[in-house]
Amino acid sequence: GGARTSSRFACALPNRIRAIAPVAGLRHDAPCDVTGIPVLTFHGTADGTNFYGGCNEGDTACSRNGAWVEGVEAAVNDWRVANGCSAQARVDALSDKVERRTFEGCSTGADVVFYHVVGGTHVWPLVSNTTELVRDFFLAQPPR
C-alpha cells in the first residue's frame, strides 16, 4: 500500500510532502484540494492488485473494500488539474510497451509525469530504471 499511502499523505499533509512517486498505486481521492505537489508515477495496464481502470464503486472485491475505485488515468488527470498543468501531455515512446506522458506548463510549477506500461503488472520495477528515475525525481525537487 505504499503508493496509495504516499498519494493520501500528499493530500492530507501537503505542507510536509515535497513530492510523490507512487509505483502501481497513484490515487487522488476526494477530498483532495491540494495543489503544487510534483508527481512521478508508474502503472501497468495488467496490474491485478490496483486495477488500471479502477473498479465499480459497489464491487468491494475489486476495489479492496472501496479503497480503489478511481482508475489510473482519472488519478493522473486529477493531479494534472490540481497542479494546473496543460491538458495535452508530451508523449515519449520509450519502447513498444512503455510510454512517458509528461504534463508540463503547470501553474504551480509542479509537473506530473506518468509512465504507462502496457502489460505491466504490480511489480517493482515497472521499467528497467525505475529506482534511478524515482531517485533523480526526488533529488531534482527544490526544498520547501
Side-chain angles (χ1 to χ4, degrees), residues 16-73:
R16 301 188 76 187
I17 304 297
R18 191 168 84 178
I20 60 172
V23 176
L26 179 70
R27 46 186 315 130
H28 190 276
D29 296 333
C32 184
D33 57 1
V34 173
T35 63
I37 303 284
V39 176
L40 169 66
T41 191
F42 305 76
H43 210 105
T45 60
D47 190 325
T49 302
N50 292 327
F51 298 96
Y52 189 87
C55 298
N56 293 326
E57 199 163 329
D59 185 349
T60 56
C62 172
S63 68
R64 300 173 71 124
N65 294 321
W68 183 261
V69 175
E70 183 178 45
V72 175
E73 299 276 347

Side-chain angles (χ1 to χ4, degrees), residues 59-119:
D59 185 349
T60 56
C62 172
S63 68
R64 300 173 71 124
N65 294 321
W68 183 261
V69 175
E70 183 178 45
V72 175
E73 299 276 347
V76 169
N77 188 60
D78 286 348
W79 281 106
R80 177 198 66 77
V81 169
N83 287 346
C85 304
S86 170
Q88 189 65 37
R90 184 183 79 229
V91 178
D92 299 300
L94 304 179
S95 74
D96 60 337
K97 294 186 179 203
V98 180
E99 183 177 89
R100 180 180 55 222
R101 301 175 188 171
T102 305
F103 296 91
E104 302 170 304
C106 308
S107 61
T108 61
D111 291 350
V112 175
V113 180
F114 170 40
Y115 283 79
H116 174 265
V117 184
V118 174

